[in-house]
Amino acid sequence: MPVSCGLCEKRAMLKRPKTGGALCKECFFKVFEEEVHQTITSASLFKRGETVAIAASGGKDSTVLAHLMKLLNERHNYGLTLFLLSVDEGITGYRDDSLETVKRNQQQYELPLKVVSYKELYGWTMDEIVRQIGLKNNCTFCGVFRRQALDRGAMMLRVDKIVTGHNADDVAETVIMNVLRGDIARLQRCTAIVTGTEGAIPRCKPFKYTYEKEIVMYAYFKKLDYFSTECIYSPNAYRGHARTYLKDLESIRSTSIIDIIHSGECMSVSVKKDVKMPTQGTCDRCGYISSNELCKACVLLEGLNKGLPKLGIGKPHKARMALGLANTTNTSTTSGSQRKEGCRSCSCRGRQNAVVNDSPECKKDNGLSSLSKGDGDPTSTDSSMKKEVGSKSSTVGVGGDSVAACSCNGGVQKEPCADTVGAKGQSVLCGKDDENTPCACKKGKRQVGTRTTGDSRAMLDLDF
């Protein structure tokens, strides 16, 4: 027996995932558009006369967003000037095709379009980055660069705000990810409907409470022109695990998505006041907002340009040390050696992804170092190069370029790097014969292929 629409007597065409109510197409359009309008007005997202950039990727979310922003702006007289803003990440077979959809939307909605690319902003495309970093952690680069690219494009257009197509599913996934990572700072702002009010161009999410399934239904019944292919680099993304978990919850209870969003809002409010939060500043290099000396985009670019693609991946303090942004003088007797002020290298030149201090005062290899092929393998693991020798720490170069440990004790060894001398064609590090000198070794002894760590004086590992 046909089911009737819950708002009129017509035949129902769909069952709303959000509420479970049966609706006909016309009533669904009306309810869907009214809910988005209520979200915009209740949160006071816009003011009359503002210029707004619509982040357009050609996908279902951004296409429906562009359609609704133009429709509601005219219907309710928001008084907004609208632009389409797209980012070309440089992904062959994906972004080039989706941009064609955006260009068709430009003609359909009669809105100006601005396209910014990773290549012109950063000198790299995502295809080139993936060739360097591989298929793991590539979404970190794309996410960081994309956020900044949107802001830079918005600045070119001189807009007041940016609207994005982040829907309720996206917000709930982000809450789950931040809970799993224990990231209080991001948990506080991930549920906000407006972000970036502290310094960057504010970003608004009109679809914060709109289910992804309903956006797909709206696009389908409205016959909107959108691009539905998934990014070829996204299957390995960490977000995919949170998405799978969320879909399982939604299949059990449809309100799980909204419940998680409300839970995230409550958790962000109830965070203890004594929890230290990052202080927002600006990047010393590009001027973009950042809580560190260099923003994440500059750190990632530094790694790419120096042949260290994993520099900005993982723990941030390692990247800070590698870039010489922190004078990490540790006075603890159990935490290893004290770094000399300004020293940038704490790892052997020959080691993979090593960062070496090239300052004039850093002593270099005297050209006598040479190792066997096996010992010079930069992919060798630390466990194969470490051996306990009493309580002293000696270091041997790997790869034959240089041996270097810059984990020198500033109070004992005056130079930032230990001297490198050849002993029968083999590389050894020589420093003072003192137990307090972490880089010291017995001069002239055969120690090829060993890297020892005495007690707790292990060298800092900068293999990101």
Side-chain angles (χ1 to χ4, degrees), residues 7 63 73 158 202 241 250 253 258 312 317 326 388 417 446:
L7 298 179
T63 300
N73 186 41
R158 300 180 182 275
H241 302 292
E250 186 185 8
R253 189 173 68 174
I258 293 296
H317 70 274
E388 288 293 334
C417 288
R446 301 167 73 94

Side-chain angles (χ1 to χ4, degrees), residues 53-117:
I54 303 170
S57 64
K60 61 184 183 311
D61 298 320
S62 63
T63 300
V64 173
L65 178 64
H67 172 80
L68 280 180
M69 286 299 299
K70 179 176 174 61
L71 177 68
L72 297 177
N73 186 41
E74 296 173 351
R75 178 184 296 174
H76 299 284
N77 195 21
Y78 290 163
L80 304 176
T81 302
L82 302 177
F83 287 88
L84 293 178
L85 175 60
S86 293
V87 177
D88 182 6
E89 299 94 344
I91 303 176
T92 305
Y94 169 70
R95 184 55 69 205
D96 46 1
D97 291 340
S98 67
L99 284 176
E100 293 300 320
T101 304
V102 175
K103 292 174 182 177
R104 292 196 298 270
N105 290 337
Q106 175 196 9
Q107 299 175 352
Q108 293 163 1
Y109 304 140
E110 299 179 344
L111 297 175
L113 171 64
K114 172 68 177 178
V115 180
V116 293
S117 69

Side-chain angles (χ1 to χ4, degrees), residues 355-400:
V355 179
V356 180
N357 183 6
D358 287 328
S359 59
E361 56 272 7
C362 180
K363 294 188 177 182
K364 306 287 182 60
D365 184 14
N366 61 4
L368 298 177
S369 59
S370 63
L371 292 175
S372 65
K373 183 176 180 181
D375 292 331
D377 184 5
T379 62
S380 299
T381 61
D382 284 350
S383 61
S384 65
M385 295 187 289
K386 293 183 179 179
K387 181 180 179 183
E388 288 293 334
V389 181
S391 62
K392 296 178 183 177
S393 175
S394 61
T395 311
V396 177
V398 180

Side-chain angles (χ1 to χ4, degrees), residues 168-296:
D169 296 58
D170 297 327
V171 177
E173 289 165 11
T174 306
V175 171
I176 293 173
M177 291 170 62
N178 290 330
V179 170
L180 294 176
R181 289 187 301 217
D183 195 333
I184 297 177
R186 287 193 175 93
L187 181 62
Q188 280 194 317
R189 63 175 181 265
C190 72
T191 56
I193 195 169
V194 180
T195 58
T197 56
E198 300 86 358
I201 298 175
R203 298 188 182 194
C204 307
K205 293 179 280 195
F207 288 165
K208 177 184 175 181
Y209 300 111
T210 305
Y211 276 34
E212 181 180 36
K213 289 181 179 178
E214 297 195 354
I215 293 175
V216 174
M217 289 180 177
Y218 186 88
Y220 173 77
F221 286 120
K222 281 284 186 178
K223 294 181 170 46
L224 300 182
D225 183 7
Y226 66 93
F227 185 77
S228 58
T229 303
E230 186 181 17
C231 176
I232 59 177
Y233 298 137
S234 67
N236 296 312
Y238 180 60
R239 179 177 287 272
H241 302 292
R243 180 176 294 117
T244 301
Y245 172 68
L246 185 66
K247 295 304 179 186
D248 291 340
L249 290 179
E250 186 185 8
S251 65
I252 299 172
R253 189 173 68 174
S254 60
T255 60
S256 296
I257 295 175
I258 293 296
D259 293 341
I260 291 174
I261 294 176
H262 290 325
S263 298
E265 292 171 341
C266 294
M267 282 189 286
S268 64
V269 172
S270 62
V271 171
K272 295 180 180 179
K273 294 183 179 180
D274 57 349
V275 175
K276 187 177 180 180
M277 303 299 293
T279 303
Q280 182 171 298
T282 57
C283 176
D284 294 340
R285 182 170 298 178
C286 69
Y288 190 70
I289 57 171
S290 174
S291 57
N292 298 312
E293 295 93 329
L294 294 184
C295 66
K296 188 70 170 179

